[in-house]
């Protein structure tokens, strides 16, 4: 017996409560075992994976919609979100590939289908504490899980393009603002902080030079305790100094001049 | 006799050809006499000034819509545009202040008015050659002119907020990518380049340090000729090396590490 596709049960009236022609797609980044991770979902009946996304209610700001969408996928509140770019090409949701996917799912592949209407997507990226996020499915979402950024599966529509731009925005952010607070546990070693930078920038960074630059920023408090449960010399632990971290976060740019 | 307000002649059917709930607002920057300039318009019958803006046609990408809107205001083609942020608050176009402005213009200040509908704005900034842009009015636009960034007049709706974010995006861009090509004449002095950086960053920059950093980037060709028509020692002229400029523009970020 063929598996019934839940998408055919989408209530057109219910989906039309949202603002038309607009969607939100989120690149949710986490950091685990020295690797950058991305949260992806698989819609019921689809082979391709997707960025978690959704639509905007008429009485809801775009930022609030993104928070709601990600709360449903991670159980986290007040997620660190940045709207980094929009994706506004005319045929990004209605092209031969999309129609084929829609048809394979037993849905109407004509322009009347809400999923094929002209849709401008608002791209957000989110930084979350990997250890606290709980990847969560839903009736139409058969899977929701973390993927290593080096091994992302084939993605629907232009989601690979959206992810590419999110990574660039994240790199730019990292080089101009403090970033670790949302991705690291409360206490961390200098090596863990450097690995975070390396995995986001996709290149290795000189250890001493990094430590010197980080300490010079003045946003780290060195703790009295050291990391335990390690086999060799116990490394120093650090914590972000909240006041100085936020001061730098809100300061004008200008590391360079 | 009271002046007839052209807004009352807006053809509701014609305006409804555009994608609903979406607008584009553009911060157009130019550089003239060592100052950053911003292009602003004044809608017919309104005292407040606005960013040049408009709507998106169903068969037009968001970027193409922004190009069209700015071509109409400047006569320029292929403008350097960056979509930097969206403005998605629920009441950004329908609030007591907006309704008052609409009413003063003799228009219907109820939610049926297209101008008061929930509208998410896509913020773009543009960098143009001041000497080549021709500020151009239109039937509903009574004025269109450059303003010094230090002396911007009161703006409609949340346009001051949009401009504030555009300036931050421009600063971030300036500190991470080459930028002068779109704002400077073909040949320029090192002082003119530094003044451009100073007016965008809003602070003075050490002359020698700046020159050293700029030359190290390898994007400038020093010309054989010097600047003429100056009273004191003729300064050297530079031009951007197209190949190296675009190489750096497309490179990964990472001035810092």
């Amino acid at each position: 017996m063929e598996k019934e596709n839940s998408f055919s049960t989408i209530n057109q009236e219910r989906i039309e409560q949202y603002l038309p022609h607009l969607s939100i797609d989120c690149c949710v980044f986490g950091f685990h075992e020295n690797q950058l991770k991305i949260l992806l979902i698989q819609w019921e009946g689809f082979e391709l994976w997707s960025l978690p996304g959704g639509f905007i209610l008429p009485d809801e700001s775009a930022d609030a919609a993104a928070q709601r969408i990600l709360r449903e996928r991670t159980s986290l509140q007040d997620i660190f979100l940045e709207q980094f770019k929009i994706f506004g090409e005319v045929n990004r949701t209605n092209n031969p590939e999309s129609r084929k996917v829609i048809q394979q799912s037993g849905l109407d592949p004509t322009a009347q289908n809400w999923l094929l209407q002209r849709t401008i997507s608002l791209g957000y990226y989110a930084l979350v504490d990997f250890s606290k996020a709980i990847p969560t499915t839903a009736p139409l979402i058969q899977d929701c899980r973390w993927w290593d950024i080096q091994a992302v599966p084939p993605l629907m529509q232009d989601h690979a393009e959206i992810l590419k731009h999110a990574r660039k925005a994240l790199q730019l952010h990292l080089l101009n603002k403090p970033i670790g607070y949302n991705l690291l546990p409360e206490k961390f070693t200098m090596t863990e902080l450097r690995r975070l930078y390396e995995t986001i920038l996709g290149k290795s960074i000189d250890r001493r030079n990094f430590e010197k630059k980080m300490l010079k920023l003045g946003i780290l408090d060195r703790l009295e305790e050291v990391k335990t449960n390690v086999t060799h010399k116990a490394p120093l632990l650090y914590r972000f100094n909240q006041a100085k971290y936020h001061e730098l976060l809100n300061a004008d740019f200008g590391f360079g001049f």
Side-chain angles (χ1 to χ4, degrees), chain A:
Chain A
M1 195 181 86
E2 224 179 340
K3 191 178 164 195
E4 192 198 13
N5 190 300
S6 307
F7 262 95
S8 54
T9 65
I10 283 185
N11 183 326
Q12 186 83 359
E13 274 176 37
R14 194 162 159 229
I15 212 168
E16 284 176 0
Q17 73 182 302
Y18 296 105
L19 294 183
H21 306 296
L22 272 169
S23 67
I24 283 176
D25 286 304
C26 301
C27 298
V28 184
F29 296 110
F31 184 63
H32 183 59
E33 292 178 344
N34 291 330
Q35 287 293 327
L36 193 64
K37 305 281 181 181
I38 174 93
L39 190 72
L40 298 175
I41 64 165
Q42 197 176 38
W43 292 102
E44 181 90 30
F46 286 73
E47 271 184 43
L48 297 169
W49 289 73
S50 300
L51 299 171
F55 305 106
I56 305 166
L57 291 166
D59 60 350
E60 181 183 56
S61 74
D63 288 356
Q67 288 285 354
R68 169 179 55 75
I69 289 162
L70 292 188
R71 194 165 56 240
E72 289 168 6
R73 293 284 75 68
T74 64
S75 298
L76 296 174
Q77 308 272 348
D78 296 326
I79 293 175
F80 179 93
L81 277 174
E82 288 267 319
Q83 192 277 317
F84 64 96
K85 194 171 162 56
I86 64 114
F87 298 86
E89 291 306 313
V90 176
N91 291 319
R92 53 174 297 280
T93 53
N94 188 355
N95 51 48
E97 186 214 339
S98 296
R99 285 194 294 274
K100 197 176 146 200
V101 170
I102 292 286
Q103 196 154 30
Q104 282 172 346
S105 308
L107 297 176
D108 171 23
T110 66
Q112 276 69 52
N113 189 315
W114 165 279
L115 298 172
L116 290 175
Q117 276 181 17
R118 165 87 191 268
T119 304
I120 291 179
S121 182
L122 313 180
Y124 280 82
Y125 74 79
L127 306 179
V128 306
D129 185 338
F130 180 92
S131 67
K132 291 188 182 145
I134 305 164
T136 305
T137 61
L140 291 176
I141 297 171
Q142 64 187 13
D143 205 346
C144 175
R145 67 167 83 162
W146 290 104
W147 291 77
D148 191 303
I149 200 74
Q150 304 296 339
V152 172
L155 299 177
M156 276 182 71
Q157 292 174 352
D158 57 353
H159 288 198
E161 179 78 6
I162 296 175
L163 177 55
K164 192 184 87 182
H165 284 282
R167 290 187 68 184
K168 274 192 181 283
L170 179 61
Q171 288 174 353
L172 190 59
H173 184 143
L174 180 77
L175 292 168
N176 290 276
K177 293 278 181 184
I179 211 167
Y181 179 66
N182 307 284
L183 289 165
L184 289 168
E186 194 199 343
K187 300 167 186 179
F188 49 85
T189 68
M190 190 60 80
T191 300
E192 286 167 335
L193 184 60
R194 179 164 51 85
R195 297 282 188 227
L196 173 64
Y197 275 67
E198 289 181 333
T199 189
I200 291 176
L201 294 177
K203 64 179 183 185
S204 63
I205 297 170
D206 178 73
R207 187 178 63 77
R208 288 194 198 182
N209 193 19
F210 179 80
E211 182 164 337
K212 210 173 98 186
K213 285 203 180 202
M214 274 299 139
L215 293 176
K216 202 178 155 196
L217 288 179
I219 56 175
L220 298 176
D221 287 340
R222 186 195 284 181
L223 303 179
E224 293 300 316
E225 52 193 315
V226 292
K227 184 155 177 149
T228 52
N229 300 323
V230 287
T231 49
H232 36 271
K233 185 172 175 289
L236 299 167
L237 281 173
Y238 294 87
R239 182 167 52 195
F240 287 113
N241 180 305
Q242 287 296 308
K244 289 181 184 164
Y245 186 97
H246 284 96
E247 199 180 294
L248 191 59
L249 198 61
N250 296 316
D252 283 341
F253 309 109
F255 285 8
F257 291 105

